Amino acid sequence: MKNKTNYEYLLSDLNSLKGVGIKTQNLLKKKNINNLFDLLWKLPKSYTDRSLSSKIKDLKIGENQTVTIIPQKYNFPRIRKLPNRVLCRDETGEIDCVFFNSYEGYIKKILPLGNEITVSGKIGYFRNRYQLTNPKYVSEDSTLIKKVHNKYSLTDGISEKIYNKIINQIITNLPNLNEWHSSYILNKFGHITWNQAIKELHRPENIGKYKDNFYQRLAFDEIFSTFLVNSEIRKKIRKVKKKSKSINIKNQNSIIDKLKFTLTQDQKKALQEINKDLNSTNKMFRLLQGDVGSGKTIVSLIAALNTINSGFQVAFMAPTEILARQHYNLAKKIFSETKKIEIISGKSEYKEKKEILKKLENNKVDIIFGTHAIFQKRVLFNKLGLIIIDEQHKFGVNQRKKLSDKGGPDCDVLLMTATPIPRTLTMTIYGDMDISIIREKPKNRKPIKTYSKLESKIDDILKFISKEINLGNQILEEPSPTGGTWFGLNVLDSQSGLYNTIQPAGSYQVNYTYTDQTTQCADTVIHDVEIYPVPDSQFGFDTLGCNNLVYPFSLSLLLLIL
């Protein structure tokens, strides 16, 4: 392929590469690899060293080894199920190269009799003779094999050899792009070019060297380009004009006055910023960030109420059905009976769901709560004016824009997150958005304490749980979101995990809920938990009243709910 000096080469289709046909192209696309540029960012995870050559007598069974041999005799049995064999030798012994489901012509081509051939693969032993089964690395040119080969996270159907061949083909033809950084920036990375950095990135000896100049340079490129992309998206968003929503402060204050707590200054400020965006003719794209228990939910619901009072519909999406139902129950408590509130999920009965969707389309629903089911194509709104997404960390820039586009030009977007995000990272990920931060905790809110324990310390954790329960507190155990185990116990089994550990004691009220549980069962559990709310707490998922979360250090958990 002819080398090019611009991005045209990098954005070329995969089938422009030698040896990549429709089958390989489709396999790569399954991993979201659509062009040459995408391939470059699939980094090697480890490597196989095939550079050292051994004699047949020194081969070690079960290990990947390289050996130079001379084919001596073909054995092509006429019984279909038997493998083809090629007897090979060097000056120290014999080895069989065994092939299943291979054509005679192919074998004769790669292992011509009398020629010196280098092969590499996992050594086996059968009937007093070494053997290599279906060797992938076979060549008369030993330099193609006697080297270190990268190992990538492969898709099914593509071998390590083919993948390396594809990557090496791209790297050999990498274009020399015009530098887009100033000398000042380049000096910080040792003046390494993009071309050089990519080549270093795929060298096996550089795997894991994240602090080296080549890696730092490419990381900076990615962050900087993300800034530029977000800047352009932000400009486009601000060009979109919408109908302003009229904010009735009197109605807003009447709801706030009915609450059993007082909003903090940060909550009031965040609400003012959101109201200003709602009242503007420019589309709102705002992130509301605040720690667990800071009161983001009540701010978002008041904003939702202002939107409804302005004649628009609101969609409120949560990551789980339980959390969506918590928000739904809270809205029913603080909204007037004249507001039409519904909840929908993937588990909703077909008849019920169909009825809700019909009312939604006919503008007979003011606010709807749910999970990802809200944004399916068949869910149509009559006049969607605000989308609220709780714990939105699963959504990228394109997904956020698609959600916004679903509501049309008059739809504002408010995202919420409890994940603490450093300022630089916030600019990188949410550079296309305005940001409101709630730092101040509500009055009498207890500080969050996080502890980590090894699985071997299960007894210490159980003592801690007993102590807290005896003090009148509640415990919420959240297992790995992928299922997995809790201290070696299957958390998806109702007779295991924390439930099974504590329940036999008989002195505690223990229950559990899970993803596949019926709505009725989940509601019962939530109701039982909510009868013990924390005094003076703000509404939201924190009404569970759990002041302590317990989880093992070995599980990768992000506990966002108290």
Side-chain angles (χ1 to χ4, degrees), residues 24 103 223 236 283 548:
T24 303
Y103 294 107
I223 293 171
K236 289 181 180 179
K283 197 174 181 102
N548 302 282

Side-chain angles (χ1 to χ4, degrees), residues 53-115:
S53 183
S54 301
K55 297 298 181 181
I56 291 177
K57 71 177 181 67
D58 298 323
L59 293 176
K60 295 180 180 179
I61 299 170
E63 294 187 9
N64 280 304
Q65 292 190 273
T66 303
V67 59
T68 299
I69 55 176
I70 299 176
Q72 300 291 315
K73 181 183 178 182
Y74 299 128
N75 181 8
F76 300 136
R78 297 309 169 198
I79 300 175
R80 185 177 292 180
K81 292 185 179 181
L82 293 179
N84 294 317
R85 294 177 178 272
V86 182
L87 175 63
C88 305
R89 289 195 182 101
D90 69 3
E91 65 272 22
T92 67
E94 296 180 342
I95 187 171
D96 279 338
C97 289
V98 182
F99 296 87
F100 289 87
N101 303 316
S102 294
Y103 294 107
E104 294 179 14
Y106 167 74
I107 295 174
K108 289 179 178 179
K109 182 180 178 181
I110 64 171
L111 290 173
L113 298 181
N115 289 18

